[in-house]
Amino acid sequence: MRKMFITFSMIVLLAFLGFSQLVGIPREQTLIVNSLTGRVGTPANFNVFVSVWRNPDRGIQQLMLEPLWMIEPSRGEVINSLASEGPIYNDDFTKMTVKLRKGCYWSDGVEITADDIVYGVEMAMKYSEMSYNAVFNLYVDRVYKTDDYTVVFELKEPNARFHTNFVDRWGAWRPFPKHIFEKVEDPVTFDFNPPISSGPYVLKDYDRAGYWTLWEKRKDWDRTPTGIMFGEPVPSYVLFYYYGDATSQVIAQANHNLEVSDLTLEAFRALLQRNPYSRGYRKEYPWVLVEPTITGLVFNNEVYPYNIKDVRWALTLAIDIVDYIGIAFDGASVMSAIHLPPTPFYQQVYHEPMEEWLKNFTLDIEVNGELFKPYDSSATLRAAQYAKERGYKVPDDIDELKEMFGPGWWKYAPDVAEQLLIRNGFKRDRNGKWLLPDGKPWKINILASPTPSHPQYRNSLAAAQQWRNFGIDVNIMASEAHSNLVSVGDFEVSDNWPVLEPWGGHPDLHRMFNDINSKYYRPKGERAAVGQGPLLGRWTNSRIDEIVDEMEKLNWDDPLNIELAIEGLKILVEEMPTIPTFAYPSVIGWDEYYWTNWPGAENPYMWAGHPWPNFKYLLPFLEPTGRK
């Protein structure tokens, strides 16, 4: 087995070296990035404007295309990209005006104007196979230009967040060149090859087997939003290469044939031992980049006994979050007691303002004659102590510790969990194992992701161990059919995200709460209308619906949105239809042999995730080392 692995790794490396010799590009001017989503199935097709998946993260969204607006989680802002300013709505949100940035050009020298936007939206409405066909036909009554840099959308009904269809987070409607597409017979089957770029790079070459895509810096990079806003990207070439599993990436980076890798924590540790030039997002433990996604567990609220709030809270209090994250990622992630990722931005906007409420929040059960307060602000210090006991160095400053480990979680209180269960008729047998009220043994089946290294599966693994310690039999059912089974409600507990991801760089949480709106409810047995969160667990709440209704009357920049969101977050805490645990830990490996000044934790000038479309905006800040 070991011999087969070494042989395979050598084949991968030799294939890359052969490629480098073939194209003759200077290695010291080339940035090599691992392709996250794998080998491209249709490598000759660059038409990502249709609803078919075409691997946009092979550099298409990171280098070739510019959106109207871009979410920037590190800065906590929305960047005006091809748009020169934010969306302009009329008073009742039935009209949206977009002002375009002047001086932006397609890579073939044609200026990007309102004609491209109007043509592209109308085409998306005309062809059902185009992305955003359904939403544009639902809302757009008319789209037109008033001059070359102004586009007006007249909407069929009020929609204060219609512009979010054009905000790039990890996908959005992105403009494409009218002068190219209008000449083709069928824009759906058109392969858009060679592609025309609105971003700072153009296609240089690609592997017909789908393993790599090579991009070259535009000579007129200064006529793109990237160049106008941030300056000249430094690498002359960027190569997106699919190396395969984490082990192969470690070998490639140790040989300086890969600058940016996405790894498991175990592989990252191996990388640090093999390559003195490698580093993580943090230079020291816990190394990881905190993605704006909260992971956790989803209860099926239409399956007994998870339809009982006391049971959901009992299972929450049966978790020692420090031990839980230790099992999942050796403590290298950030805990969150509320249903929101604990990024520095969200900690400032939501976690800190809610801290006092969390400390005073009580459950309807008494301990020593007083209502029980479940919040544990000391969990941060306990996590730091865990790290010290594992031999890692951590700071003493509490604010730094909160950023590294999270601002707190729920108390590990198995005695209180026991009280909650007993008052609902549960009991223990002579061996301390929990029995349901009907006397049958309680066994929890967790439907898990089939990928052991994924944060979803790591949640299943940690939860199973915690609940077993509490006296419940737990079975982890990892399944390739995970998504389908969860969608139709064929599960008890799953490791799906406890809520849909928020925008990540904007305080508006409508995206998250609208995913809980009961208008999307489908009963168990029918396919869910959402892919994550409480509604996937068939949980609804009329107060959440009211909050969503109020948000939809407000501009997303209205401060009242934050007040409404806090009210919604409190409801989720009170009811605990899902359990938030820790943020998605992105384990990035950067090789500094050829390039330095990565946007690490010590200098987070731009979002560091290389599959994200923001990647183009960090390239002007990289610094070559001069090594050859």
Side-chain angles (χ1 to χ4, degrees):
M1 186 69 180
R2 177 178 173 82
K3 184 177 180 180
M4 288 177 59
F5 167 73
I6 294 173
T7 301
F8 172 75
S9 300
M10 289 303 297
I11 289 172
V12 171
L13 291 174
L14 288 172
F16 170 69
L17 292 173
F19 167 73
S20 295
Q21 294 167 1
L22 177 66
V23 298
I25 60 173
R27 177 64 183 92
E28 70 276 9
Q29 297 178 29
T30 306
L31 184 71
I32 306 177
V33 184
N34 186 64
S35 293
L36 176 68
T37 59
R39 187 168 71 90
V40 181
T42 54
N45 197 318
F46 291 84
N47 185 355
V48 295
F49 312 107
V50 296
S51 55
V52 177
W53 172 259
R54 294 216 170 109
N55 296 81
D57 63 322
R58 60 164 161 158
I60 296 175
Q61 68 183 17
Q62 301 101 314
L63 304 173
M64 185 184 105
L65 294 178
E66 296 272 8
L68 294 182
W69 299 283
M70 179 83 77
I71 283 289
E72 184 27 74
S74 293
R75 294 168 171 244
E77 66 182 54
V78 179
I79 294 175
N80 299 318
S81 299
L82 281 171
S84 63
E85 58 184 279
I88 303 167
Y89 286 96
N90 63 352
D91 291 340
D92 65 357
F93 302 107
T94 58
K95 182 184 290 188
M96 182 185 80
T97 301
V98 178
K99 296 286 187 179
L100 295 180
R101 185 184 296 276
K102 297 178 181 179
C104 296
Y105 287 79
W106 298 108
S107 55
D108 61 357
V110 176
E111 187 176 15
I112 301 172
T113 69
D115 290 326
D116 296 298
I117 313 302
V118 173
Y119 173 80
V121 171
E122 289 180 339
M123 185 196 296
M125 295 174 69
K126 180 179 179 181
Y127 294 91
S128 61
E129 301 91 342
M130 299 291 286
S131 296
Y132 294 84
N133 170 268
V135 69
F136 286 168
N137 277 295
L138 179 63
Y139 284 109
V140 178
D141 182 49
R142 185 176 170 225
V143 57
Y144 55 91
K145 73 173 190 178
T146 55
D147 59 50
D148 284 346
Y149 307 102
T150 306
V151 180
V152 177
F153 292 85
E154 293 184 2
L155 307 180
K156 295 177 182 177
E157 59 183 79
N159 186 344
R161 286 164 183 78
F162 179 71
H163 68 283
T164 59
N165 294 295
F166 307 92
V167 177
D168 208 344
R169 183 186 183 278
W170 216 99
W173 186 89
R174 304 175 180 115
F176 48 90
K178 174 180 182 288
H179 67 283
I180 299 296
F181 275 77
E182 67 182 353
K183 297 175 183 177
V184 303
E185 184 175 343
D186 184 357
V188 174
T189 58
F190 178 46
D191 62 9
F192 195 34
N193 187 357
I196 304 302
S197 169
S198 58
Y201 287 79
V202 291
L203 180 68
K204 175 72 172 176
D205 201 355
Y206 63 93
D207 176 33
R208 276 60 182 170
Y211 283 97
W212 52 262
T213 308
L214 177 65
W215 305 88
E216 183 177 16
K217 181 168 56 179
R218 283 173 56 169
K219 292 181 174 57
D220 63 340
W221 55 264
D222 56 334
R223 300 203 298 180
T224 70
T226 300
I228 292 170
M229 291 187 291
F230 302 111
E232 181 179 2
V234 182
S236 298
Y237 303 91
V238 180
L239 173 66
F240 279 83
Y241 195 98
Y242 177 57
Y243 274 100
D245 64 17
T247 304
S248 299
Q249 293 180 58
V250 169
I251 295 172
Q253 189 164 118
N255 285 279
H256 310 305
N257 286 324
L258 178 62
E259 264 77 49
V260 187
S261 55
D262 38 274
L263 304 168
T264 63
L265 197 59
E266 295 79 10
F268 178 75
R269 286 198 181 97
L271 176 63
L272 293 182
Q273 293 176 354
R274 295 180 68 111
N275 184 16
Y277 294 96
S278 288
R279 59 159 293 180
Y281 174 73
R282 291 184 177 275
K283 291 185 176 181
E284 306 291 341
Y285 178 90
W287 303 299
V288 300
L289 169 68
V290 177
E291 296 249 4
T293 300
I294 186 70
T295 76
L297 302 160
V298 173
F299 295 115
N300 191 332
N301 286 252
E302 288 188 350
V303 172
Y304 177 83
Y306 313 104
N307 59 331
I308 303 172
K309 181 172 72 171
D310 278 358
V311 172
R312 300 192 298 266
W313 259 108
L315 291 172
T316 303
L317 297 175
I319 291 173
D320 179 341
I321 193 61
V322 175
D323 188 43
Y324 185 103
I325 301 177
I327 294 169
F329 281 102
D330 193 21
S333 192
V334 186
M335 69 185 80
S336 178
I338 62 175
H339 291 69
L340 200 63
T343 61
F345 172 69
Y346 282 130
Q347 285 200 41
Q348 179 182 0
V349 177
Y350 285 106
H351 289 78
E352 291 176 13
M354 290 186 66
E355 180 80 7
E356 197 61 32
W357 179 86
L358 289 167
K359 289 179 179 178
N360 292 309
F361 169 68
T362 59
L363 294 179
D364 181 25
I365 196 162
E366 291 188 358
V367 175
N368 298 324
E370 296 184 355
L371 290 175
F372 179 66
K373 295 181 178 180
Y375 185 66
D376 181 15
S377 59
S378 71
T380 304
L381 297 176
R382 291 198 296 114
Q385 183 60 33
Y386 169 90
K388 291 177 183 178
E389 291 174 357
R390 294 280 290 121
Y392 302 120
K393 293 181 180 180
V394 296
D396 295 322
D397 182 79
I398 188 61
D399 291 330
E400 289 185 62
L401 292 176
K402 285 182 177 181
E403 183 178 336
M404 291 173 66
F405 300 111
W409 208 71
W410 305 109
K411 293 175 181 175
Y412 176 50
D415 54 334
V416 180
E418 184 169 24
Q419 290 185 58
L420 289 169
L421 293 177
I422 289 174
R423 80 177 184 182
N424 283 275
F426 291 73
K427 51 186 174 291
R428 293 184 187 267
D429 66 14
R430 67 179 65 183
N431 297 314
K433 294 287 189 178
W434 280 102
L435 304 174
L436 295 168
D438 63 4
K440 294 178 181 178
W442 186 10
K443 184 174 184 178
I444 297 176
N445 293 300
I446 303 178
L447 183 59
S449 163
T451 307
S453 62
H454 197 280
Q456 284 187 235
Y457 184 89
R458 297 297 179 98
N459 270 279
S460 292
L461 184 69
Q465 188 58 53
Q466 296 291 303
W467 292 339
R468 286 169 185 152
N469 293 343
F470 183 55
I472 305 172
D473 284 333
V474 183
N475 179 39
I476 297 178
M477 301 185 303
S479 174
E480 294 286 347
H482 178 276
S483 296
N484 287 330
L485 292 171
V486 173
S487 182
V488 297
D490 190 8
F491 73 99
E492 296 175 5
V493 181
S494 80
D495 54 17
N496 287 73
W497 301 155
V499 287
L500 180 69
E501 305 97 323
W503 283 107
H506 192 281
D508 179 50
L509 299 189
H510 174 270
R511 182 176 192 262
M512 186 181 92
F513 282 111
N514 190 49
D515 208 55
I516 310 173
N517 197 321
S518 64
K519 69 182 180 181
Y520 302 122
Y521 166 78
R522 300 290 184 274
K524 184 175 179 288
E526 295 184 18
R527 190 164 297 280
V530 300
Q532 305 289 355
L535 208 58
L536 193 64
R538 275 65 183 176
W539 179 86
T540 62
N541 185 284
S542 60
R543 291 162 64 200
I544 294 289
D545 293 347
E546 292 169 3
I547 287 170
V548 172
D549 289 343
E550 288 301 311
M551 285 180 166
E552 290 178 350
K553 299 173 185 175
L554 302 170
N555 187 294
W556 80 334
D557 288 323
D558 193 313
L560 183 56
N561 275 305
I562 296 178
E563 296 180 28
L564 290 168
I566 288 176
E567 182 182 345
L569 291 168
K570 290 177 179 179
I571 294 169
L572 291 175
V573 164
E574 292 165 355
E575 297 295 327
M576 203 60 72
T578 62
I579 302 178
T581 54
F582 55 83
Y584 189 115
S586 181
V587 188
I588 299 174
W590 285 323
D591 181 25
E592 296 190 310
Y593 187 81
Y594 290 109
W595 305 97
T596 62
N597 198 38
W598 298 97
E602 75 280 5
N603 182 26
Y605 58 82
M606 198 68 66
W607 182 244
H610 59 278
W612 287 56
N614 312 53
F615 190 67
K616 62 181 80 69
Y617 295 159
L618 70 83
L619 298 182
F621 300 95
L622 292 183
E623 297 174 0
T625 64
R627 296 187 183 94
K628 298 188 182 220

